[in-house]
Every structure is written in structure tokens, then in C-alpha cells.
Amino acid sequence: MATFRKRCGKWHLEIRKKFHKPISKTFILKEDAEKYAREIESKIDQGILTTYDEAGKTTLRDLLERYRLEITAKKKGAEVEDYKIRLLQSLQISENTLLRVTPTKIAKLRDTLSESRKAGTVNKYLSFLSNCWNIARKEWGISLPENPVSMIYKPSVKDRRDRILTPDEYKRILDAAGKSKLYSMKALVIFAYTTAARFGEIIKLHRKDVDYVQRTATLRDTKNGEDRKIPLTIEAMQVLKAQPITTTGNFFQDISHDRFKHYWDRVRRDAQITNFRFHDLRACAISNFFLPPYNFGIPMVAKISGHKTWKELERYERNKVHAIVKQFEVIKK
């Protein structure tokens, strides 16, 4: 039932319904108060009334903190994502309650981040906010308006990597890796170059997960949380068989990413290779699988790389036009 009282020249409305939290609001005109009361009572009767009480008390910083503790902490890239979320929490926008986080404020945040960060990085920050908002609505039971991140345009990413090694560069990398103080460096390079496996997947590869008869290896707990079985080339098989026995049962010694990066940078320097990351070896392998002598189609390459869609796989297919021209010449012959 709606009750109207005039106070200080304004109309105070209070709606009380059984089994529902009281609602109160103030209007200048009584007609507006009566109209609002009819709409709210109708929604209560239909069971479709949405209240934003919790959203009006919760700040964006609080929501991000819950996301950081409950969602980010369980991810493989928790350390990097944790840093980015803490940075968002330190910004002024995080002081707003969720009801005051508007598309305009998100757009201003985007522009501020874009002043010192690349488009891809800015999109990651926006993605964290968007995911946090959606999870709060769908899983945490917090009634929220439409996701403000979905209502602004995202920076266009134009810095797609297209770097792969030429045959000569690969030879130089192998020569330098063979002289590295990290014993397994050359083996790691060859295995990554011929299997498209990630560094983390290679380091965790255990002897019990390799079938020498079937020539397959099972990569455990990969980036997407699933196990993946891959075929092994002759080069990859030779690398694994040449590795010394370890106390852990893994093929390669356990090494931190930072320590590995130190040795990898020295290999690149000695080989005089620029603008090339170890992870780009994955792109080299994927690109090679599309060319002779393999000539694999998209489904087969995706099976090896673990990509679910062509859009994901396309980022790693980096064949140059001249490589395709060479295939025209082979076909003509």
C-alpha cells in the first residue's frame, strides 16, 4: 500500500507490501509520486521488481576485491591479473558505488589508460571490469544495471605480431642455444619449434605422459585448464630420448620463467636475433604445419595447438606471401 505525506513542500512516498522491503522516495509533484507508486506496486505484484540497494552501497573497489580473491586467485595467470586489478582499485573510478559507474566514466578510464598503454593492454583492463560486472550479476546475486563496459567502444588492436624465423635465423638460434649455460636450452627450442607446445607445457612434461610407440605426448593442465594430446615429430622424439633422467620424472629441469628469460635473452643476443620471443616458436611451428611437407588443414593444426576456433589459431598462423607463391610453383610443376 502506498502512503503520501507532504513535507517541506515536497511529497514523500512510502510503499509497503507484505514480504517486500519498504520503498520510499520524494517527489515535487504529487502526480509524479502517484504514477511512480502505481508502477512499483504493479512490478511487485508481478514479481519483476529489481532493486539496486546493494549496488548503491557497494563500491567498484569492493567488487574488484571480491573478484580478485574469488576468481583471479584461481587462474593460471593470477600474478599478472592480480597486479592489473590492484591498479584499477587504486584509480579514482573505484571509489564510486556501482550505481554511479556509468559508460561515460568507463570511457574516461579507457582514454586515461590509452595515454600510456597499448590498445591490447587497455582492452584487458576493460575486460577485467566487464567480467567482474557480469559475474556479480549472474553468480553473486547483485542486481546491477546494464554492463557499462559493453556500452563503449574498445580500442582497435593493430599491433598483431607476424614474426617467425627464417631457416637461417633458426639455424643461428640453435647454434647459440647449443652453447648456452642452460643445458636443456637447445632441446627446449627444438621441441617448441616442432610441436607448438608452450614453455609451461614443455617444462611440466613427465616421462609417464609420453608414448614412444604411438609417438604422442599428453600435455597436462594446459592454459585452458584441459589436458591435450599432441603428435610428436621425429625431431621431438629424438630430443626427449636424449634428455637425462631427472629426480622429478620430468624431461626438463624445473626453471622459473625469469631465470629462463635471462638465458633466452643471451641466446638471442649471440644469434643476433631481434624482436623474437620464445613463445614465437609456437607460431613458427603452427605456420610450418600449414606448409610442406605437412600440408595440414585447420582442424589438424588446431588439434595440435589446442585452439578452439580459427580466430584464435589465426593469430599464430604467420606465413608470408612469398611462402604461398612457392606453393604455386610446386603445383605448376
Side-chain angles (χ1 to χ4, degrees), residues 10 70 75 95 107 125 130 154 163 174-175 178 187 189 191 197 199 207 216 230 238 246 253 261 265 303 308 316:
K10 296 182 180 180
E70 296 186 18
K75 295 184 179 180
E95 298 175 5
Y125 280 104
S130 182
K154 314 302 186 297
R163 183 74 163 93
L174 289 182
D175 290 342
V189 171
F191 196 84
F199 173 77
R207 291 184 179 274
T216 61
I230 61 172
Q238 291 172 341
T246 62
Q253 66 186 92
K261 188 176 183 300
D265 287 343
K303 188 75 174 177
K308 303 293 185 183
Y316 289 89

Side-chain angles (χ1 to χ4, degrees), residues 39-160:
E39 292 176 352
I40 294 300
E41 288 180 326
S42 176
K43 289 182 178 180
I44 292 176
D45 293 338
Q46 296 176 59
I48 60 173
L49 179 66
T50 300
T51 60
Y52 298 119
D53 292 345
E54 189 172 355
K57 299 182 223 177
T58 306
T59 65
L60 180 58
R61 181 180 289 109
D62 294 336
L63 194 69
L64 286 169
E65 181 65 10
R66 182 174 179 182
Y67 182 87
R68 187 180 71 82
L69 295 175
E70 296 186 18
I71 306 299
T72 298
K74 300 175 183 177
K75 295 184 179 180
K76 291 183 179 299
E79 185 176 349
V80 175
E81 185 168 311
D82 187 276
Y83 169 80
K84 285 183 166 58
I85 290 179
R86 285 182 182 275
L87 185 141
L88 287 173
Q89 289 178 302
S90 69
L91 302 179
Q92 187 175 1
I93 191 174
S94 293
E95 298 175 5
N96 290 277
T97 63
L98 300 179
L99 285 182
R100 297 178 66 84
V101 178
T102 62
T104 301
K105 291 178 180 176
I106 295 294
K108 185 177 179 180
L109 170 66
R110 174 202 62 206
D111 296 341
T112 300
L113 293 173
S114 297
E115 292 175 359
S116 57
R117 294 170 177 81
K118 293 183 178 180
T121 303
V122 173
N123 284 338
K124 286 181 180 179
Y125 280 104
L126 295 177
S127 177
F128 294 147
L129 287 172
S130 182
N131 291 341
C132 183
W133 197 276
N134 290 334
I135 288 177
R137 293 178 69 185
K138 297 175 182 178
E139 298 186 18
W140 296 341
I142 301 177
S143 296
L144 292 170
E146 186 175 352
N147 191 330
V149 181
S150 66
M151 302 171 71
I152 68 168
Y153 80 86
K154 314 302 186 297
S156 177
V157 180
K158 300 179 181 179
D159 57 348
R160 180 179 183 270

Side-chain angles (χ1 to χ4, degrees), residues 197-213:
R198 300 178 180 90
F199 173 77
E201 296 169 344
I202 301 173
I203 291 297
K204 291 187 294 185
L205 183 61
H206 199 279
R207 291 184 179 274
K208 64 180 177 60
D209 291 324
V210 173
D211 187 329
Y212 289 104
V213 177

Side-chain angles (χ1 to χ4, degrees), residues 268-300:
R268 287 193 310 158
R269 182 198 64 193
D270 294 344
Q272 298 182 342
I273 302 296
T274 59
N275 187 31
F276 190 81
R277 309 166 184 167
F278 185 85
H279 191 65
D280 288 330
L281 290 170
R282 176 169 163 83
C284 290
I286 289 173
S287 299
N288 289 339
F289 286 140
F290 282 110
L291 296 175
Y294 304 105
N295 293 318
F296 292 161
I298 292 174
M300 293 180 68

Side-chain angles (χ1 to χ4, degrees), residues 13-53:
L13 164 67
E14 187 168 4
I15 301 174
R16 290 183 176 274
K17 282 276 191 177
K18 192 174 182 180
F19 305 123
H20 199 280
K21 187 176 180 179
I23 299 174
S24 60
K25 197 172 179 68
T26 301
F27 297 86
I28 295 176
L29 300 176
K30 187 176 181 181
E31 291 81 0
D32 292 338
E34 291 173 339
K35 180 181 178 181
Y36 180 80
R38 288 194 298 270
E39 292 176 352
I40 294 300
E41 288 180 326
S42 176
K43 289 182 178 180
I44 292 176
D45 293 338
Q46 296 176 59
I48 60 173
L49 179 66
T50 300
T51 60
Y52 298 119
D53 292 345

Side-chain angles (χ1 to χ4, degrees), residues 234-251:
I234 294 176
E235 296 92 337
M237 289 280 289
Q238 291 172 341
V239 161
L240 295 182
K241 290 179 178 179
Q243 295 310 298
I245 300 296
T246 62
T247 56
T248 61
N250 293 343
F251 282 97

